Amino acid sequence: MSPLQFAWRSLSRQPARAWLGLTGMAVVGALLFDMLLLSRGLLVSFRDLLESTGFDIRVTATEALPGMGPALSDAASTAERLRGLPELADVVPVRFGSVALDDGDADGGGLRGAKRRGLAIVASEPRRRAEWKVVQGSDLAERGPGGRPEIVVNRAFAREEKVEPGSLVRLGSAPPAREFRVAGIVEFPFEAAGERMAGVTLAGFLDAFPAARRDEADLLLVASRPAVGAEAAVAAIRRARPDLHTFSIEDVLERLRQAEFSYFRQVSVVLATIASFFALLLVTTLLTVSVNQRLGEVAALRALGFSRRRITADLVAESALLVGGGGIVAVPLGLALARALDSILRRMPDLPQRLHFFVFEPRALALHAGFLVLAALLAAAYPVLLAARLPIAATLRKESVS
Amino acid sequence: MSARAAIVEARGLAKVYPMPAGPVEALREVSLTVEPGDYVAISGPSGCGKSTLLHLLGCVDTPTSGSLLFEGRPVLALREEERSRIRLRRIGFVFQRFYLLPMLTAWENVELVQSEAGLPAAERRARTRELLTYVGLADRAGHRPSQLSGGEMQRVAIARALANRPGLVLADEPTGELDEETGEQIADLFDRVNADGTALVVVTHNLALAGRARRRLAMRSGRLAEPAAVAAT
Ligand SMILES: Nc1ncnc2c1ncn2[C@@H]1O[C@H](COP(=O)(O)OP(=O)(O)OP(=O)(O)O)[C@@H](O)[C@H]1O
Ligand SMILES: [Mg+2]
């Protein structure tokens, strides 16, 4: 009979103890697993978001986040210069702005005016490589039919303003408003739930913001050549324009890792530590109580010639069954719990809709398994010590007297 | 002296338990030789050191002084793993409280010590069947201890003690939990075990059981005396 079979029998002998251990481990294991998902979830999710744009490098004028600091001047020539670098596949200048929307309804203007809502505008050069994904209609053309500037809008905007491809939208940061033709409905990678967003061409941006300075960009989106890789491309840009701030996706993530996202890692480490502590306490207690209940049996087995190693193996196997069984159930349980917690956290305003706090990675599963192995060994440590150090003769004597 | 090597040869064994109130001398100057096929019964008042001696003979405990040879090997010089191996292969233990594993069947209890000794499955199966038949419990093989009577449990325990064909079986009050008639059955079984060549050392208050032994030793205050060597029939 192998230690595992033996342990299985020992557990089935006290089903209540087995269920208590398994349930406890499943619940605590689910929490542990969730903390693993949380500790890197934002990073993984954010990387996905950044990568889904198709650009792996960002260039700004200063260290500030794009759109928050001063813009790049001479955007067109800078972009042109960078396009000349052999390491780069593409360079797209981007501008950000936001307008209050003019609904264009002359009669109800005053009334509806009170309900006006903002619209975030992203301007880019769509004929290169769009930052957004077209879901209906078509992408921007430089000039639409009749020389009208074109606009693409996201679903939230289209729904609220009841526009569709072909509709006209009046935009203007200051009167007179310009009319834009809706070319298509698109999805922006970073759009928050309910956030109204629109994309226009760089020329269209100036139509919407006549006061904006020409030839500026808040951000240059850069795609490295796949064969070269982001790092070499970043180095090339830094060499060409040391005055600019160039950073790869990894650089962005590193910054977030050290600042904003580190809270989640810290919280998850603290919670995971507490959860592990209770898991260990539970399994150690269950095993210790059961060893104490069968000290006579253990002493008898030792007298019959069962080695310390065998007794140890039996207890470790029992611990492994409790921790492993609970730990396996913990995975689906943890995934369900993570989904629920994620949906709660994602109710925070202004979060990109596609950003998640709990993200599954195979790595988390491997770590979870590693944790379980460690927990099973640690939980067995004390009862093993108790059983292996048991004085055989004295125990047999005590047990037959009692 | 037999030409064959003795199974156990104890010379001047002493066991002292240092206690806060002063040392307890559980054994003093005990010498005992158990030859192959011997049947020894040890009796004496409670606390005189019978179990202590049995544990020393069974390589479960070590003496404070004296020498102890098991099948010619100096037990005191052996590491715990080696003593454990001797217990597994050369010694069988029978306890007052049986100590069968409650979650295993009679069959599994008997088989377990054989698998610990590394016997192949086919051999284990044959040996287990043979032993359960030997103790008259072939039809109870699939029963757990809780489904057996005290006498039946002790018979399973005896089968377990014999499983690895030991040279010596040690029993500490094997009938202590049993009624007279059941004790009688166990005594019969021990007779057969001994007749089949296994040396027995039995610690017992049960006069009927002690009467079966070829050598009856009396113990008092940690010392051994041989009141009457009972000749074999
Ligand atoms: N581990 C121990 N620590 C201290 N004293 C002990 C220990 N084991 C035995 N003794 C003492 O050694 C003496 C002999 O004990 P032992 O158990 O061998 O007696 P016994 O003859 O088997 O008694 P019983 O018939 O009641 O089983 C007793 O005085 C006992 O108190
Ligand atoms: Mg005793």
Side-chain angles (χ1 to χ4, degrees):
Chain A
M1 190 172 280
S2 72
L4 261 183
Q5 290 171 305
F6 191 86
W8 174 256
R9 293 300 196 83
S10 299
L11 282 177
S12 47
R13 166 181 172 185
Q14 292 169 308
R17 178 174 72 99
W19 279 114
L20 191 63
L22 286 172
T23 314
M25 262 319 292
V27 171
V28 175
L31 195 57
L32 252 175
F33 187 58
D34 281 0
M35 291 308 113
L36 284 173
L37 301 189
L38 178 63
S39 69
R40 279 172 43 93
L42 271 178
L43 274 183
V44 173
S45 172
F46 208 72
R47 171 182 290 130
D48 272 0
L49 261 180
L50 289 170
E51 281 172 352
S52 74
T53 62
F55 298 95
D56 54 354
I57 296 167
R58 278 139 188 86
V59 179
T60 52
T62 69
E63 221 173 319
L65 285 172
M68 312 290 245
L72 282 151
S73 46
D74 301 326
S77 64
T78 305
E80 219 36 67
R81 165 94 201 275
L82 295 184
R83 278 172 196 141
L85 293 175
E87 289 88 351
L88 307 189
D90 212 343
V91 180
V92 178
V94 176
R95 297 190 81 164
F96 300 114
S98 87
V99 288
L101 188 74
D102 186 348
D103 53 49
D105 181 349
D107 305 338
L111 194 75
R112 300 253 324 251
K115 284 198 200 169
R116 276 180 181 185
R117 288 187 50 199
L119 171 65
I121 302 215
V122 181
S124 170
E125 280 184 77
R127 68 205 147 74
R128 292 191 165 273
R129 197 189 271 239
E131 208 200 331
W132 48 72
K133 198 174 99 201
V134 180
V135 293
Q136 193 193 337
S138 53
D139 206 349
L140 293 179
E142 202 51 53
R143 282 288 155 189
R148 262 208 193 89
E150 287 200 325
I151 190 169
V152 288
V153 299
N154 72 346
R155 287 200 190 91
F157 181 86
R159 193 173 50 243
E160 284 173 19
E161 299 297 330
K162 301 188 178 61
V163 298
E164 52 186 24
S167 307
L168 294 182
V169 177
R170 302 184 70 192
L171 289 186
S173 58
R178 272 297 291 265
E179 257 184 353
F180 287 73
R181 182 185 164 273
V182 175
I185 315 281
V186 301
E187 217 172 64
F188 294 88
F190 287 89
E191 68 183 60
E195 188 186 11
R196 295 143 54 103
M197 289 185 80
V200 295
T201 61
L202 290 172
F205 190 81
L206 291 174
D207 290 331
F209 300 93
R213 280 205 223 135
R214 311 210 147 236
D215 201 22
E216 276 195 347
D218 289 297
L219 171 70
L220 296 179
L221 287 173
V222 178
S224 66
R225 279 195 199 286
V228 173
E231 240 173 271
V234 166
I237 300 172
R238 284 186 182 145
R239 267 197 308 278
R241 291 295 304 268
D243 56 316
L244 300 180
H245 279 266
T246 306
F247 39 93
S248 64
I249 290 180
E250 286 313 315
D251 295 332
V252 177
L253 292 177
E254 189 48 45
R255 215 165 107 180
L256 292 171
R257 210 188 321 257
Q258 278 166 12
E260 287 84 352
F261 291 3
S262 73
Y263 302 122
F264 289 94
R265 208 180 52 232
Q266 286 164 18
V267 164
S268 64
V269 166
V270 169
L271 289 181
T273 309
I274 296 173
S276 317
F277 177 74
F278 279 103
L280 284 181
L281 204 64
L282 176 71
V283 176
T284 299
T285 306
L286 289 176
L287 288 176
T288 304
V289 166
S290 118
V291 165
N292 273 323
Q293 279 172 349
R294 38 185 184 165
L295 285 180
E297 248 172 70
V298 175
L301 284 177
R302 295 276 286 117
L304 287 168
F306 280 65
S307 60
R308 282 207 179 101
R309 191 181 304 161
R310 168 67 199 236
I311 304 282
T312 301
D314 288 343
L315 280 170
V316 170
E318 201 170 326
S319 176
L321 281 181
L322 284 178
V323 173
I328 288 171
V329 177
V331 171
L333 201 64
L335 285 174
L337 184 65
R339 181 170 294 198
L341 291 175
D342 196 52
S343 73
I344 292 174
L345 283 176
R346 288 179 59 214
R347 281 183 212 147
M348 268 192 248
D350 300 334
L351 280 184
Q353 227 172 344
R354 282 167 55 198
L355 195 66
H356 291 272
F357 292 84
F358 294 84
V359 178
F360 175 79
E361 309 170 88
R363 173 195 139 104
L365 206 55
L367 267 177
H368 181 66
F371 263 133
L372 292 182
V373 170
L374 200 68
L377 289 175
L378 281 178
Y382 179 66
V384 157
L385 210 68
L386 208 63
R389 290 258 181 95
L390 193 68
I392 308 172
T395 307
L396 286 173
R397 198 175 157 274
K398 214 178 297 164
E399 291 283 314
S400 71
V401 168
S402 65
Chain B
M1 265 298 227
S2 162
R4 285 185 288 175
I7 296 183
V8 193
E9 224 177 319
R11 288 285 161 266
L13 288 188
K15 182 74 182 179
V16 180
Y17 294 104
M19 301 302 277
V24 176
E25 292 187 64
L27 287 183
R28 319 166 195 230
E29 288 296 314
V30 171
S31 296
L32 175 66
T33 302
V34 181
E35 305 282 347
D38 254 358
Y39 190 169
V40 182
I42 302 174
S43 318
S46 182
C48 69
K50 304 181 296 291
S51 298
T52 304
L53 175 60
L54 209 66
H55 292 148
L56 293 186
L57 299 181
C59 303
V60 159
D61 207 354
T62 50
T64 311
S65 62
S67 81
L68 182 66
L69 297 181
F70 190 94
E71 295 186 332
R73 302 171 73 189
V75 176
L76 275 155
L78 300 178
R79 287 179 299 129
E80 166 54 27
E81 296 94 88
E82 291 169 308
R83 278 187 273 137
S84 180
R85 208 167 308 131
I86 289 178
R87 295 198 297 269
L88 181 64
R89 290 163 194 277
R90 301 303 306 149
I91 302 174
F93 263 99
V94 177
F95 310 96
Q96 177 174 352
R97 300 208 161 172
F98 325 130
Y99 287 130
L100 296 178
L101 296 180
M103 69 285 193
L104 303 186
T105 61
W107 177 283
E108 289 164 338
N109 266 289
V110 175
E111 198 184 9
L112 189 65
V113 283
Q114 300 170 61
S115 66
E116 178 67 6
L119 258 66
E123 211 169 306
R124 294 202 304 260
R125 227 170 306 153
R127 179 74 177 149
T128 306
R129 192 174 302 119
E130 176 192 15
L131 283 167
L132 286 176
T133 309
Y134 185 77
V135 300
L137 289 173
D139 54 337
R140 310 299 294 275
H143 290 207
R144 305 242 168 129
S146 59
Q147 299 161 322
L148 300 173
S149 71
E152 286 162 347
M153 282 195 262
Q154 196 60 302
R155 274 143 71 193
V156 174
I158 291 171
R160 175 177 68 178
L162 295 172
N164 290 328
R165 302 178 196 278
L168 174 67
V169 167
L170 303 172
D172 197 347
E173 297 289 1
T175 60
E177 306 263 308
L178 306 175
D179 61 45
E180 203 175 320
E181 200 184 315
T182 314
E184 200 67 24
Q185 290 172 11
I186 296 299
D188 290 344
L189 183 54
F190 275 135
D191 281 351
R192 260 202 296 151
V193 168
N194 181 242
D196 292 337
T198 308
L200 282 177
V201 176
V202 180
V203 163
T204 184
H205 287 115
N206 183 336
L207 292 179
L209 176 59
R212 309 279 186 114
R214 223 165 302 142
R215 280 167 71 199
R216 289 161 62 181
L217 305 179
M219 204 163 191
R220 202 167 295 276
S221 311
R223 291 185 202 279
L224 212 49
E226 208 151 346
V230 180
T233 40

